[in-house]
Amino acid sequence: MAIIGRDHELGVLAAAVGTVRDGSCATVVMVGDPGIGKTTLLQHVSDSAHGLSVRALRVAAVDAEAQLPFAGLSQLLAPLRVTLEEHTGAGLDALRAALGLGPPVAADRFAAYVGLVTLLTRVVAEGPLLVVVDDAHWLDAPTAEALAFAMPRLADDAVGLVVATRPPVPGWIDAVEGDHLALGPLDAVEAAEVLTRACPGLDEGIRRRVLALAAGNPLALTELARRPDPADAPTRGGDPLLGSFAATVADLPRATREALLRVALEDEGRDDVLRRALGIRGQDHGVLGPAVDAGVLARAAPGFRHPLFREVVRLAASPGERRAAHRDLAAALDGAGDVEARGRHLGAAAVGPDEDVARALEEAAGRALGRTAYAAAVDLLERAAQVSADSGAQGARLLSAGYAAFGAGRPLDALRLLDGALEVTEGTLRGRVAQARGMAALLVEPLDAVMAFLVREAERVQGVDRPLAAAMLADAVMTRTMGGWCDQAVGLARQARATLAPGDPVPPNVTAYLAAAHVLAGDTAPAAEAMVQFEVLADTLDPVSPAGHLLAIASTPLAWTGRLPEACRRLDGWVARAREAGAVGFTALALAQSVEIRFRLGRWDEGVAHGDEALALLEATGQLGAVGYALSNLAMIRAGQGEEAATRALVAQAEPFIAAGAGSLFAYVRAALGLLANGFRRGAEAVAVLEPLEHFARERGLRRPGVVMWQPDLVEAYMRLRRPPDARRILATLAEQSQRTGDRWGLAVTHRCRGLLAEDFDGAFRTALAVHDELEMPFERARTQLLYGERLRRARRRVESRAQLSAALATFERLGAAPWAQQARDELAASGVRRRAPAPDEVRALTPRELQVALLVAEGLRNQDVAARLFVSEKTVERHLSLIYAKLGVRNRAALVRRMGGPADEGRPRAPARG
């Protein structure tokens, strides 16, 4: 039968299905009130897809399952169960666990979402696919998150998404790109035609009343016409449809309404559970007959004919009636094996403290965590705390709920739960709660407040649990390093270590943050000792474990102290392991750390690619604390490339994090802006942005020159402005810090700066280059060669200058450091040698994602492996490869490997990506 009044919507849906059939992605979001026709249109589009050989997967969310983790995904993927069990790949074990099809896993919640991407790519490889979601406003949170994560990563595949929802539109849907259709009421002519077709021969008086009351809502037209007198249907909140449904339910016998409540509250529509629940009250399915006859229940199965009936039944019941129904359902599930469902019903039925119920809820939460259903575990554990028999048990369960909320990406909920736990706990348990609260607060509260809280709580617990107190003080160290307060960080780190008595176990974070703090403050011997201790510990840590973030954080002190290849090798190994496990959270954090390391190593292409991916994954996983760090380090690479607009955009994005207290980023972005200005020989601008760092470093105790590389840039800018006294002042500090800490980069640039200031400059520059030979920092070496060549040329030693300038130019061109390469060409021209700018390197035309694909293919990975590494589909990899082949002028993988260089060829040409 034709759908009346929806020609525009039908056209949009037909175009979307056609797009998917032809091999591309399409998305349609329909928004409208209940009964407006969304489900009818979804059924039409599903049928159309089938007729065009497009496979349709459909999920109809219901309000009863909104708190049931992965209920929507389980329904959606039910036809793919065999496919899911047959395949292996990133995240699939977590996805099977999430759906109850495999054993529990220890993973972050995004592992299952990665599994969804992997599974759908396998399905799409066999033909186009349409994902249809009805009543998306009732989707459980993990399903909604999974779709929000997966669909953008399938944007290059023949996958369509058609979603129907009520207003207000859920956030994850509001962000979906595609066609958005607002379904309004039918006009008078269309409404009359719908009513005529649905109820021919209707009394004219009733017909007029129905048309007036229904106000163009298609379902209201037919439902009101079913009543003997539509005028007797009350409205609910001005909604005649809801009022009609409520009146229909109210007309049913009491016993039928009681049975209907059990149907409404049984989450998964299991007939066996419902039969047992009815049997507890001496009833059978026959009691539901009047509801079937009245059109409340469908005839084929004990399910509601329309979701609104479920809402009406639940709203009509009193709290006591709902508790009784939940008790019956819990009893019906006793011994059935569904621990989660039984726990939810027991929790809903409880009216006061009941330790048996609390334990059942706790067990249910454990099952939920094993399925990475963190949000569901939060609710179960919070309810368990509410019915706990004593304060100790209540506090422990609130602590577990807080951890689960943090894992679910809900830091505000975590704070609320943990604050509640603080009110009922003492001693070691309170200390554990306080430590968890401190970590959650890092995302939402001022750093100074978090530090003060952790220090205060550590003092409270020190007398009963020294290792815990030390761990809390170590966490407080992180607030100081993020804020850029290096001396304070050292003081807290030392206090954390001193808290421990001989023989006490040393928490991993104590060692990690102690090492970082001493490096920042330039305390050479203690830093070296702590670094050795942490390296031993690092070999025992799993990057996928809760302590894994320490590995990413600890990679930066290695880089700051010049051990760049080792830091890069360790970090890459941890990232590979995390990718294989689908651990998106750790991958994002580690990639953010990787940007700084690759900038220093001169692997700017990889740095940009890693930074681009890191930002996307950090945003997806809610790890906002690391976003500013990734932005500031990307800004350094873009500044080196001379990408002025991109650099300033990144700095602008980092500013809110600085304003929120992340003072360390102030130094990083200022260094990036200074580098940018010096690249274009804008001395006054470089001085303006870099001078504040002198006070910043002195005030906050930043005394390791290799942490934020700003001092030689300020010396160079001063000399460009002919201000040697100021340059000497900065150089004196740089030289002292470098000599005291043994910082090899600091020593190299100290001699570079001396070469700028000295009359007899050869010795200084040659010493600088000799120290550079010990480092793998090609950009820094090239800058020394550029300045040396410039001084040689100005001393009229043109022939000697050309060797230094030519070497510098080669490095700058290889890195894509455009303004610096132009400086070298200008100096060479002044020495009598003309060098044309090389033809644009095609590699530099690659986007960050294209470059990442090209580099992984150059390592010998198959498309399937590349897709798994990047958490995208194989079709996305194929599309990027096609673009890469076209841009680089190669025809196959072998040619691409030669063009990019093999993984063992560390001297291969590398070029930065252009965003």
Side-chain angles (χ1 to χ4, degrees):
M1 182 179 293
I3 298 176
I4 298 169
R6 301 299 186 200
D7 292 346
H8 172 67
E9 290 82 357
L10 290 170
V12 171
L13 291 168
V17 174
T19 298
V20 174
R21 176 202 58 194
D22 295 339
S24 297
C25 180
T27 300
V28 179
V29 175
M30 296 187 296
V31 183
D33 293 328
I36 206 69
K38 302 185 297 294
T39 299
T40 300
L41 288 169
L42 290 183
Q43 185 59 56
H44 173 82
V45 78
S46 297
D47 294 342
S48 299
H50 180 73
L52 294 173
S53 299
V54 175
R55 183 172 191 172
L57 298 176
R58 187 167 179 179
V59 53
V62 295
D63 60 339
E65 296 181 352
Q67 303 303 318
L68 186 62
F70 295 107
L73 204 59
S74 181
Q75 183 186 152
L76 183 75
L77 301 181
L80 303 181
R81 180 166 180 171
V82 173
T83 304
L84 177 58
E85 292 175 347
E86 288 177 348
H87 285 87
T88 60
L92 286 179
D93 286 343
L95 180 59
R96 281 187 281 266
L99 301 180
L101 302 176
V105 297
D108 68 29
R109 70 189 193 279
F110 287 89
Y113 309 164
V114 170
L116 178 62
V117 175
T118 303
L119 175 65
L120 293 183
T121 58
R122 303 290 190 271
V123 175
V124 177
E126 300 173 0
L129 175 68
L130 187 69
V131 176
V132 180
V133 183
D134 197 1
D135 287 324
H137 49 280
W138 281 327
L139 271 184
D140 60 277
T143 294
E145 272 196 336
L147 290 173
F149 181 86
M151 297 313 296
R153 288 163 175 78
L154 298 166
D156 294 303
D157 292 73
V159 177
L161 174 66
V162 180
V163 179
T165 184
R166 295 183 196 173
V169 179
W172 76 271
I173 300 174
D174 205 30
V176 170
E177 294 183 3
D179 291 305
H180 284 241
L181 302 175
L183 272 64
L186 302 176
D187 64 28
V189 174
E190 295 163 346
E193 184 177 355
V194 168
L195 186 57
T196 298
R197 290 191 182 187
C199 304
L202 195 64
D203 176 81
E204 186 59 28
I206 293 176
R207 176 184 174 84
R208 286 196 300 271
R209 287 196 294 273
V210 168
L211 287 170
L213 287 169
N217 184 295
L219 183 59
L221 287 165
T222 58
E223 290 299 324
L224 289 169
R226 292 167 61 97
R227 302 193 62 77
D229 183 357
D232 72 355
T235 63
R236 286 264 184 108
D239 187 341
L241 180 59
L242 196 60
S244 176
F245 280 7
T248 300
V249 171
D251 289 342
L252 295 172
R254 179 180 178 83
T256 301
R257 294 199 306 272
E258 290 178 350
L260 275 178
L261 182 58
R262 283 143 186 82
V263 177
L265 296 177
E266 205 295 296
D267 293 336
E268 299 183 51
R270 292 167 293 193
D271 189 57
D272 58 330
V273 174
L274 181 60
R275 286 181 183 275
R276 288 196 295 272
L278 293 176
I280 290 169
R281 303 188 66 81
Q283 298 173 327
D284 59 25
H285 263 57
V287 75
L288 295 171
V292 175
D293 295 338
V296 176
L297 293 179
R299 291 191 177 275
F304 290 95
R305 185 169 58 84
H306 190 278
L308 276 179
F309 276 117
R310 185 188 297 270
E311 287 187 70
V312 165
V313 169
R314 296 174 70 184
L315 289 171
S318 68
E321 289 170 334
R322 287 195 293 271
R323 285 194 296 270
H326 280 298
R327 277 195 297 272
D328 290 346
L329 289 166
L333 284 163
D334 195 10
D338 193 337
V339 172
E340 286 185 60
R342 179 174 178 270
R344 283 193 302 273
H345 288 301
L346 284 172
V351 291
D354 189 324
E355 194 60 25
D356 289 337
V357 171
R359 281 192 291 269
L361 285 161
E362 199 168 26
E363 183 182 3
R367 295 289 183 93
L369 290 172
R371 300 196 294 126
T372 68
Y374 292 94
V378 172
D379 297 334
L380 291 164
L381 287 164
E382 183 173 13
R383 184 59 180 146
Q386 291 168 353
V387 299
S388 294
D390 62 75
S391 61
Q394 182 184 16
R397 287 161 180 150
L398 285 172
L399 171 60
S400 298
Y403 278 128
F406 196 74
R410 292 161 45 181
L412 290 176
D413 280 336
L415 287 178
R416 174 181 59 80
L417 293 162
L418 294 168
D419 282 338
L422 286 175
E423 295 177 2
V424 296
T425 52
E426 292 295 338
T428 296
L429 180 57
R430 180 187 173 90
R432 290 169 54 208
V433 171
Q435 184 185 28
R437 191 203 182 282
M439 295 306 294
L442 279 172
L443 298 177
V444 293
E445 292 185 352
L447 294 176
D448 288 351
V450 178
M451 180 204 69
F453 170 80
L454 286 168
V455 171
R456 183 174 65 250
E457 292 297 326
E459 292 173 352
R460 291 186 61 151
V461 78
Q462 183 172 347
V464 293
D465 193 328
R466 289 187 301 271
L468 178 57
M472 293 168 68
L473 289 169
D475 287 340
V477 171
M478 186 160 56
T479 72
R480 301 300 83 197
T481 57
M482 291 172 66
W485 298 99
C486 305
D487 279 341
Q488 293 180 22
V490 170
L492 282 172
R494 286 174 172 164
Q495 185 180 346
R497 191 66 182 85
T499 298
L500 299 168
D504 283 343
V506 181
N509 66 338
V510 171
T511 306
Y513 296 142
L514 184 66
H518 280 307
V519 170
L520 288 168
D523 301 331
T524 308
E529 180 183 356
M531 288 290 291
V532 169
Q533 292 172 354
F534 184 76
E535 287 162 37
V536 173
L537 179 65
D539 293 333
T540 69
L541 293 179
D542 184 348
V544 185
S545 72
H549 71 282
L550 294 175
L551 294 174
I553 292 170
S555 65
T556 44
L558 284 174
W560 294 336
T561 54
R563 296 162 61 184
L564 290 163
E566 180 183 352
C568 189
R569 184 175 62 255
R570 283 177 176 261
L571 199 57
D572 286 355
W574 295 328
V575 167
R577 186 169 177 182
R579 287 189 188 278
E580 184 179 350
V584 181
F586 177 85
T587 300
L589 182 61
L591 288 173
Q593 307 293 119
S594 172
V595 179
E596 180 177 8
I597 293 172
R598 279 166 164 76
F599 169 71
R600 294 169 185 249
L601 281 169
R603 293 163 66 169
W604 292 1
D605 49 0
E606 296 173 7
V608 170
H610 285 193
D612 184 71
E613 185 183 8
L615 287 173
L617 294 180
L618 288 169
E619 182 178 357
T621 55
Q623 297 182 93
L624 301 182
V627 169
Y629 179 64
L631 289 168
S632 62
N633 283 310
L634 268 175
M636 286 295 291
I637 297 180
R638 290 306 198 189
Q641 294 170 336
E643 297 281 357
E644 184 148 14
T647 303
R648 296 193 185 281
L650 290 163
V651 168
Q653 293 175 60
E655 288 294 342
F657 297 96
I658 299 171
S664 60
L665 300 183
F666 174 82
Y668 276 106
V669 300
R670 289 281 175 148
L673 292 172
L675 178 64
L676 177 72
N678 271 342
F680 290 105
R681 297 184 176 181
R682 301 197 295 249
E685 179 184 324
V687 167
V689 297
L690 292 173
E691 270 188 330
L693 291 183
E694 182 180 6
H695 172 72
F696 176 92
R698 182 172 58 251
E699 177 190 40
R700 305 202 179 196
L702 176 59
R703 292 184 291 272
R704 180 91 191 195
V707 174
V708 183
M709 301 183 292
W710 63 275
Q711 290 159 303
D713 272 298
L714 184 53
V715 170
E716 185 175 334
Y718 277 142
M719 291 303 293
R720 200 176 299 281
L721 297 181
R722 303 181 186 279
R723 293 171 57 179
D726 290 318
R728 289 191 179 93
R729 184 186 72 252
I730 299 300
L731 174 57
T733 301
L734 172 63
E736 184 279 325
Q737 291 177 350
S738 300
Q739 186 64 42
R740 178 172 46 78
T741 63
D743 189 300
R744 306 307 291 168
W745 172 84
L747 290 170
V749 295
T750 292
H751 290 293
R752 175 207 293 172
C753 293
R754 284 173 176 161
L756 283 176
L757 287 157
E759 290 295 326
D760 183 10
F761 54 82
D762 283 283
F765 276 117
R766 287 171 182 166
T767 302
L769 290 173
V771 181
H772 278 304
D773 286 341
E774 304 172 19
L775 303 168
E776 293 195 36
M777 300 178 72
F779 179 60
E780 293 300 319
R781 179 183 178 85
R783 290 187 63 183
T784 297
Q785 292 171 319
L786 172 64
L787 292 173
Y788 188 17
E790 182 179 350
R791 291 224 61 184
L792 287 168
R793 196 265 306 167
R794 292 180 185 277
R796 301 182 184 280
R797 295 160 60 184
R798 294 183 176 183
V799 174
E800 294 176 73
S801 75
R802 293 168 189 164
Q804 297 298 331
L805 295 170
S806 296
L809 177 60
T811 299
F812 292 143
E813 288 180 343
R814 176 170 65 84
L815 293 174
W820 301 93
Q822 188 57 51
Q823 286 191 41
R825 287 190 208 98
D826 292 345
E827 288 297 326
L828 279 168
S831 77
V833 177
R834 293 283 179 183
R835 289 284 179 86
R836 292 182 179 179
D841 189 331
E842 300 91 344
V843 174
R844 295 177 192 163
L846 301 181
T847 66
R849 180 47 59 91
E850 289 166 358
L851 183 59
Q852 201 160 24
V853 169
L855 290 168
L856 291 172
V857 169
E859 291 182 15
L861 272 65
R862 301 172 301 164
N863 287 4
Q864 179 178 341
D865 300 323
V866 174
R869 288 271 189 100
L870 300 180
F871 308 132
V872 297
S873 73
E874 292 177 48
K875 189 67 174 289
T876 294
V877 174
E878 291 169 4
R879 183 179 70 83
H880 284 314
L881 272 178
S882 297
L883 294 170
I884 291 164
Y885 289 165
K887 289 180 179 181
L888 300 188
V890 299
R891 294 185 175 183
N892 52 45
R893 299 175 81 88
L896 176 61
V897 171
R898 289 193 296 272
R899 178 67 181 80
M900 299 302 296
D905 182 9
E906 291 300 329
R908 66 185 184 275
R910 293 178 179 269
R914 291 289 188 255

